[in-house]
Amino acid sequence: MAKISALSGFPEWLPAGRIVEQHVIDTFRRIAELHGFGGIETRAVEPMGELLRKGEIDKEVYLLRRLHAEDADDEGADPSRRLGLHFDLTVPLARYVLEHQNDLAFPLRRYQIQKVWRGERPQDGRFREFYQADLDVVAQDTLPGHVEAEVAIVMAEILEALPIPAFTIHANNRRLSEGFFRAIGLEDTAAVLRSLDKLAKIGPEAVATLLRDEAGATDEQAGACLEFAGIRTPDGSFAEGVRALLERHAGSGAGTAGAPEATVEVEEGITALDDVVRRVNAVVPGVCVADLSIARGLDYYTGTVFETFVEGHESLGSICSGGRYDRLAADNRHTYPGVGLSIGLSRLVSRIIGADLAHPTRPVPTCVLVTVGSEETRERSEQVATALRRRGIPAEIAPSAAKLGKQITHASRRRIPYVWLVPEVTGADADRVRDLTSGEQADADPATWSPDSDLLHARVLAGPPTP
């Protein structure tokens, strides 16, 4: 058989890794549902015309086409109607909301855990096929500001329950940023935000060049933007820095800092951001900071924006990001504003596994291996396993009627904690159970016996496995 080569960008975990991944998925689902979010799943494909609305990702979309499709099949067809695999879960959500608006109750509280596909260069933490986990509240026409904090609180509780080190949610507000940029005379706020969004990757000097070249900033305006992006506080004290910076640059004639509408926008942004930081930290203390460098270069964000970083794993970048968008979708009757946060779930799981941040207590779900005395008496072992399973105890039957030692070795290699010894194997008068951890064994009845509660199911524990 020819040697099989790994295909980069398409992660495949071993059974132990899959248990960790499933634990992350289950944790996300459990806490989202505790807060009243309902799960949805959308189709894997969308028309290319919808997918390409975010023009910056056009080179990353996978086109879907039948292997034996003739070129003539596409002649005269609208290219925008060709199908592509979705690259995120936001575009499908917008379509889903419009398509089902008459059947949905708003505000829609939705979570979605599903695979997405991106044709980007695979590297550490970046895949071409991966799970993404989204959490959104979508309203019809109006969405109150408190939802921005609420979604961040739910995500903070999810992350707090995962086997990862300490993390911080960095928040900013687009109204605050855009108001400040306009106040110092920069009208192309989208260009400023796109430049500042590259700050962590290329550094302040390169960003200053971008601000001058792409946003038309003077040296003083570029300096003011970088000072603004340098403000980071664990509470509402960021407001003092913003006001002082604005007053200083207004006095130096950097731009139109006195414009009333820009000043109002700044103050509204300060109030909104302070509210989010305060509300989140009231529920999950110390997890949220005001960080005015958070830009989120996509221009559909309109309110609070978020990025999340794990202590000691900053090279991974933001593990969870998103924000408020006031026009997720719109038709002739309604607009659909929302707030959403998204985790690159496979990316996070890859780091958890690769850095030994967590491990499963065993690589299989089985709690009990039921031995087999002979193939003629296998039915007796099946009866025992059935009785255990009906009581919620994961059980499997030995694959062959080998010698008892080999059956126990089989269980031990798979780290199954208990072996059920049927009389056909031991010659005893009753069934017995052996605890492979302690070596102890005792008589047992499949209708009443129960394992140690910690051993009933495979669990995920923080930290590397014990040697």
Side-chain angles (χ1 to χ4, degrees):
M1 181 178 177
K3 183 179 179 180
I4 297 176
S5 299
L7 188 59
S8 62
F10 296 85
E12 292 180 331
W13 314 124
L14 294 174
R18 175 57 180 165
I19 289 176
V20 172
E21 181 178 62
Q22 192 62 55
H23 171 75
V24 173
I25 291 172
D26 290 344
T27 299
F28 190 105
R29 176 189 55 79
R30 175 175 58 83
I31 295 177
E33 291 181 354
L34 275 175
H35 287 266
F37 287 75
I40 69 168
E41 182 169 329
T42 56
R43 64 198 186 205
V45 298
E46 297 290 340
M48 291 296 289
E50 291 298 311
L51 293 174
L52 297 183
R53 286 191 301 163
K54 292 184 181 179
E56 70 276 6
I57 52 78
D58 57 348
K59 294 181 180 178
E60 298 178 7
V61 176
Y62 282 106
L63 181 67
L64 190 69
R65 188 181 181 193
R66 290 185 297 113
L67 178 62
H68 296 293
E70 298 289 341
D71 290 341
D73 290 348
D74 295 326
E75 286 184 6
D78 180 356
S80 67
R81 296 301 300 171
R82 294 174 183 172
L83 300 179
L85 293 171
H86 59 219
F87 60 88
D88 74 358
L89 301 179
T90 302
V91 171
L93 176 62
R95 187 267 310 160
Y96 180 91
V97 167
L98 284 178
E99 187 171 332
H100 300 287
Q101 58 180 291
N102 294 329
D103 301 311
L104 294 171
F106 292 98
L108 171 66
R109 300 168 68 85
R110 154 269 195 189
Y111 75 87
Q112 188 171 353
I113 306 169
Q114 206 168 331
K115 282 193 173 182
V116 301
W117 294 266
R118 293 184 188 176
E120 59 183 0
R121 182 172 67 87
Q123 52 186 300
D124 181 29
R126 294 200 175 274
F127 304 109
R128 290 187 280 184
E129 177 187 61
F130 58 95
Y131 275 109
Q132 188 162 306
D134 281 21
L135 194 72
D136 289 79
V137 175
V138 179
Q140 193 174 70
D141 297 326
T142 59
L143 180 72
H146 66 77
V147 176
E148 298 175 33
E150 182 180 354
V151 173
I153 288 169
V154 180
M155 192 62 81
E157 291 186 359
I158 290 170
L159 293 173
E160 194 176 43
L162 295 179
I164 60 175
F167 64 92
T168 50
I169 297 177
H170 296 232
N172 192 8
N173 186 280
R174 289 295 281 265
R175 289 183 63 78
L176 168 57
S177 296
E178 292 174 4
F180 178 85
F181 303 145
R182 276 192 279 269
I184 64 170
L186 294 171
E187 292 301 323
D188 191 353
T189 59
V192 178
L193 288 166
R194 284 195 300 270
S195 299
L196 290 177
D197 198 32
K198 298 178 174 66
L199 189 58
K201 294 181 180 178
I202 65 177
E205 290 186 9
V207 168
T209 300
L210 283 178
L211 288 168
R212 289 189 292 267
D213 294 346
E214 298 185 9
T218 64
D219 288 345
E220 187 172 359
Q221 287 170 326
C225 290
L226 290 172
E227 284 188 73
F228 176 84
I231 296 174
R232 181 185 300 174
T233 67
D235 50 32
S237 60
F238 70 90
E240 300 169 12
V242 172
R243 292 178 182 128
L245 184 61
L246 192 57
E247 183 177 353
R248 178 153 47 90
H249 284 277
S252 64
T256 57
E261 62 275 13
T263 303
V264 169
E265 196 171 14
V266 168
E267 290 299 328
E268 288 176 347
I270 286 174
T271 300
L273 181 56
D274 177 67
D275 185 65
V276 167
V277 173
R278 180 176 52 80
R279 285 176 180 270
V280 175
N281 286 335
V283 179
V284 188
V287 76
C288 190
V289 300
D291 182 351
L292 306 194
S293 71
I294 302 302
R296 303 298 297 156
L298 297 174
D299 58 11
Y300 59 72
Y301 289 114
T302 56
T304 308
V305 288
F306 302 95
E307 290 190 356
T308 308
F309 302 93
V310 177
E311 185 177 309
H313 297 270
E314 288 79 9
S315 63
L316 192 60
S318 176
I319 63 164
C320 172
S321 56
R324 177 172 182 139
Y325 37 81
D326 281 317
R327 292 183 67 87
L328 168 72
D331 57 19
N332 293 329
R333 297 182 300 160
H334 302 288
T335 59
Y336 295 90
V339 180
L341 280 166
S342 175
I343 294 178
L345 193 141
S346 296
R347 189 159 161 256
L348 183 57
V349 169
S350 175
R351 181 57 60 98
I352 291 173
I353 295 172
D356 275 340
L357 299 179
H359 68 280
T361 53
R362 58 181 183 263
V364 296
T366 309
C367 177
V368 182
L369 178 79
V370 181
T371 57
V372 176
S374 67
E375 293 306 322
E376 289 73 21
T377 60
R378 176 174 286 274
E379 186 175 343
R380 161 76 173 115
S381 299
E382 290 173 347
Q383 291 171 353
V384 171
T386 298
L388 292 171
R389 292 173 192 142
R390 286 176 176 169
R391 296 177 50 236
I393 300 172
E396 65 177 87
I397 304 164
S400 68
K403 291 182 179 180
L404 177 58
K406 289 187 176 181
Q407 294 188 54
I408 291 175
T409 298
H410 174 75
S412 180
R413 284 176 176 169
R414 304 185 71 213
R415 297 173 62 186
I416 298 172
Y418 297 98
V419 173
W420 194 280
L421 306 171
V422 295
E424 292 81 1
V425 170
T426 62
D429 295 332
D431 290 349
R432 297 179 70 80
V433 169
R434 179 180 296 184
D435 183 333
L436 294 189
T437 302
S438 66
E440 298 177 355
Q441 63 183 49
D443 290 349
D445 183 341
T448 58
W449 176 84
S450 294
D452 186 298
S453 59
D454 286 342
L455 299 176
L456 178 59
H457 298 291
R459 295 176 298 124
V460 173
L461 303 179
T466 304

